[in-house]
Amino acid sequence: MSLYEEIVGRGGVSPAYFFDSMTFIECAAFLRGMRRKERAEIENTRLIMWAIFQSQSRKNLELDDVMKLEDEDKSEKGVNREELEELRKRAKQMEKKL
């Protein structure tokens, strides 16, 4: 995919701004921001899926059991307990809303 397709097509930047004003550094920052937003949306989807699957499962599921993300570093297997508890609280809140 070309830079133009990503930034103008998917990102919604005007073609005039892309060609006339946007610098390469801005392009890189814009693409990083788009990836961060996509990652947040995927994380939200995974959390909802985990909440649904956990409510139907007898065993204790981890987020990786539901959906493994491509860019997750395999060396980061150790999950911070505080983060895990926060995710569980958020999942229970989502579960109540459903």
Side-chain angles (χ1 to χ4, degrees):
M1 229 180 238
S2 73
L3 207 53
Y4 180 82
E5 289 174 319
E6 280 289 303
I7 293 176
V8 175
R10 289 187 65 220
V13 171
S14 74
Y17 181 77
F18 176 77
F19 286 119
D20 298 334
S21 303
M22 196 173 228
T23 66
F24 185 73
I25 294 171
E26 281 182 288
C27 289
F30 187 83
L31 290 173
R32 280 192 307 271
M34 280 180 51
R35 299 294 176 260
R36 195 176 311 117
K37 180 182 176 190
E38 289 171 358
R39 172 68 185 224
E41 291 169 355
I42 290 171
E43 284 286 345
N44 192 27
T45 301
R46 179 165 78 158
L47 187 59
I48 292 169
M49 289 172 54
W50 176 80
I52 292 169
F53 291 160
Q54 184 62 53
S55 70
Q56 301 299 315
S57 177
R58 291 183 180 180
K59 67 178 190 170
N60 194 9
L61 298 174
E62 298 295 330
L63 287 173
D64 285 349
D65 296 335
V66 174
M67 185 168 86
K68 191 169 288 222
L69 301 179
E70 294 175 4
D71 61 345
E72 284 183 331
D73 189 16
K74 300 209 186 301
S75 65
E76 291 185 25
K77 272 297 188 191
V79 177
N80 185 348
R81 286 289 167 195
E82 293 171 2
E83 291 178 83
L84 185 60
E85 289 303 317
E86 178 63 30
L87 287 173
R88 286 184 176 147
K89 287 177 189 175
R90 288 176 36 197
K92 289 208 183 281
Q93 290 172 350
M94 293 293 282
E95 209 173 58
K96 289 177 185 177
K97 290 179 183 178
L98 298 176

